């Protein structure tokens, strides 16, 4: 369950926010002081923090700044004064959103959900591992579009990369030059199948130890090429 911390000294507002958020399926904790709110934010993991500006103990500006130094959690700042919102923006404290009181609870819930979804997408993207093909000393990082031979990166043009990756993804399958040209260069492209030959030559110069005895891309005379595994 997603957890939200509300740092708010006006109990009626804090309770109202809590009720609506709990109805939407969130687990909510309330802190009524800035300093205590900061401590809780640092010591426990939350998926989002709703932070009031005027607070006893430590104001919302300082709380926001300190949380942001340590954590990426989304922070939604709230204030009764429009001027304060402008000030928060100007200070660049790293708050993700701002709301002026009074706001409707449904608007709060909608914003909370939007920020949480965005944050989880970011976190999810960060944890996703790269899509990698490894065959003997050749490593193709499809996500980063990089190629390594025995750990050393080789520079590939877009089409060289696409051609090598396509062949490596379909090992032991013989493709004619026409098929490869259609597949990598598309039908609209101007050019001819000699382009394929040129690119294969360039790829071999980068990946093969001895281009006269290729260990990755093999020429099948009169037919085309195949990636050997
Ligand atoms: Ca307040």
């Amino acid at each position: 369950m997603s957890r939200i911390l509300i740092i708010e000294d006006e109990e009626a507002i804090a309770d109202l926010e809590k009720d609506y958020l709990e109805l939407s399926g969130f687990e909510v904790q309330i802190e009524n002081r800035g300093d205590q709110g900061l401590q809780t934010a640092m010591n426990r993991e939350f998926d989002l923090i709703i932070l009031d500006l005027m607070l006893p103990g430590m104001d919302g500006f300082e709380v926001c700044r300190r949380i942001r130094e340590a954590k990426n959690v989304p922070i939604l700042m709230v204030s009764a004064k429009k001027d304060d919102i402008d000030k928060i923006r100007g200070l660049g404290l790293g708050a993700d959103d701002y709301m002026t009181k009074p706001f409707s609870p449904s608007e709060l819930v909608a914003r909370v959900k939007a920020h949480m979804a965005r944050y989880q997408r970011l976190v999810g993207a960060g944890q996703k591992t790269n899509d990698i093909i490894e065959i003997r000393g050749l490593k193709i990082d499809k996500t980063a579009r990089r190629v390594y031979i025995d750990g050393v990166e080789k520079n590939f043009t877009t089409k060289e990369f696409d051609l090598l990756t396509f062949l490596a993804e379909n090992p032991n399958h013989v493709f004619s030059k026409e098929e490869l040209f259609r597949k990598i260069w598309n039908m609209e492209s101007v050019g001819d199948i000699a382009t394929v030959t040129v690119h294969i030559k360039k790829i071999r110069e980068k990946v093969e130890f001895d281009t006269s005895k290729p260990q990755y891309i093999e020429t099948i005379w009169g037919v085309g090429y195949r990636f050997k595994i």
Side-chain angles (χ1 to χ4, degrees):
M1 190 188 284
S2 296
R3 292 157 48 80
I4 296 173
L5 173 63
I6 298 172
I7 309 175
E8 169 68 67
D9 61 326
E10 286 171 71
E11 271 180 48
I13 292 178
D15 288 342
L16 183 69
E17 290 173 356
K18 184 173 189 274
D19 287 347
Y20 271 86
L21 290 166
E22 283 180 346
L23 277 172
S24 299
F26 298 109
E27 189 186 326
V28 180
Q29 181 171 347
I30 297 173
E31 289 289 354
N32 303 118
R33 291 174 56 89
D35 46 2
Q36 282 164 6
L38 174 64
Q39 200 175 6
T40 303
M42 291 302 189
N43 295 338
R44 292 190 71 181
E45 290 304 313
F46 292 94
D47 298 283
L48 186 137
I49 295 170
I50 298 169
L51 176 62
D52 183 33
L53 192 57
M54 298 307 290
L55 291 164
M58 182 187 288
D59 70 29
F61 292 115
E62 188 62 15
V63 174
C64 182
R65 196 180 63 74
R66 296 222 198 161
I67 293 172
R68 193 46 88 229
E69 279 175 358
K71 289 171 184 278
N72 289 322
V73 58
I75 301 172
L76 207 169
M77 290 192 83
V78 295
S79 172
K81 287 191 261 175
K82 171 79 172 61
D83 291 354
D84 286 338
I85 300 291
D86 294 338
K87 193 175 169 193
I88 297 167
R89 283 205 172 95
L91 284 170
L93 294 168
D96 295 84
D97 203 356
Y98 323 88
M99 293 183 82
T100 312
K101 295 181 198 171
F103 45 78
S104 75
S106 55
E107 187 189 353
L108 176 75
V109 169
R111 292 218 200 177
V112 163
K113 282 182 176 171
H115 283 285
M116 218 170 257
R118 192 175 65 90
Y119 181 62
Q120 276 157 5
R121 273 200 305 279
L122 288 174
V123 170
Q127 286 169 343
K128 205 174 151 196
T129 52
N130 286 10
D131 192 355
I132 286 170
I133 302 170
E134 266 190 293
I135 299 160
R136 298 187 292 276
L138 171 68
K139 180 171 146 185
I140 304 170
D141 184 333
K142 288 178 66 187
T143 313
R145 291 186 66 87
R146 289 178 165 194
V147 179
Y148 302 85
I149 293 291
D150 296 325
V152 179
E153 188 176 356
K154 303 283 176 176
N155 288 318
F156 274 66
T157 65
T158 304
K159 292 302 179 198
E160 286 166 7
F161 182 89
D162 291 345
L163 181 56
L164 176 66
T165 304
F166 176 73
L167 288 167
E169 282 182 323
N170 298 279
N172 292 332
H173 185 120
V174 181
F175 294 97
S176 69
K177 290 173 190 173
E178 289 82 358
E179 280 176 308
L180 293 173
F181 186 70
R182 265 205 312 277
K183 187 76 203 164
I184 307 301
W185 279 266
N186 297 322
M187 300 298 282
E188 321 76 85
S189 286
V190 183
D192 58 68
I193 57 166
T195 311
V196 178
T197 316
V198 171
H199 278 74
I200 293 284
K201 182 169 178 288
K202 285 182 178 164
I203 292 169
R204 279 179 176 155
E205 284 165 4
K206 292 170 193 183
V207 305
E208 298 290 355
F209 175 72
D210 179 354
T211 52
S212 67
K213 293 184 194 125
Q215 60 156 330
Y216 295 111
I217 301 173
E218 187 182 23
T219 302
I220 309 296
W221 293 108
V223 187
Y225 301 100
R226 73 164 179 175
F227 194 100
K228 282 197 288 189
I229 59 167

